[in-house]
Amino acid sequence: MIATGQRTGDYATTEEIESIAAATHFPLLAGSGVTAANVARVLALTQGAIVASSLKVDGVWWNPVEPRRVQALMEAARPALEAD
């Protein structure tokens, strides 16, 4: 299952993620809105995340990937990933 916000880059709320998780036994991914600022919280509620636009130059999905943004996301995610 994939929990998404209303459009590319919009975060599914904690309440939406918890509601979907309670209704299924399938693994749950966050499909939009995941950033370095919220990735730890998202990974605490899901089994993974699909990340794209927050990793792009200026956070715009059609721009190229910006390595600094990837590094920041992975540093923020590392504690949650190592806990598994």
Side-chain angles (χ1 to χ4, degrees):
M1 302 297 294
I2 301 173
T4 66
Q6 294 294 316
R7 64 189 68 72
T8 299
D10 280 357
Y11 174 73
T13 67
T14 299
E15 294 78 18
E16 290 168 328
I17 292 171
E18 289 173 342
S19 177
I20 294 167
T24 185
H25 63 278
F26 292 110
L28 178 60
L29 304 176
S32 64
V34 179
T35 67
N38 68 17
V39 69
R41 181 179 59 218
V42 169
L43 292 176
L45 298 170
T46 66
Q47 285 70 56
I50 300 167
V51 185
S53 58
S54 73
L55 303 179
K56 305 294 188 88
V57 173
D58 298 325
V60 178
W61 69 266
W62 60 78
N63 284 344
V65 171
E66 186 173 343
R68 177 186 59 79
R69 288 173 174 258
V70 175
Q71 183 177 5
L73 180 94
M74 292 309 298
E75 287 174 5
R78 189 163 286 113
L81 297 173
E82 290 173 351
D84 288 341

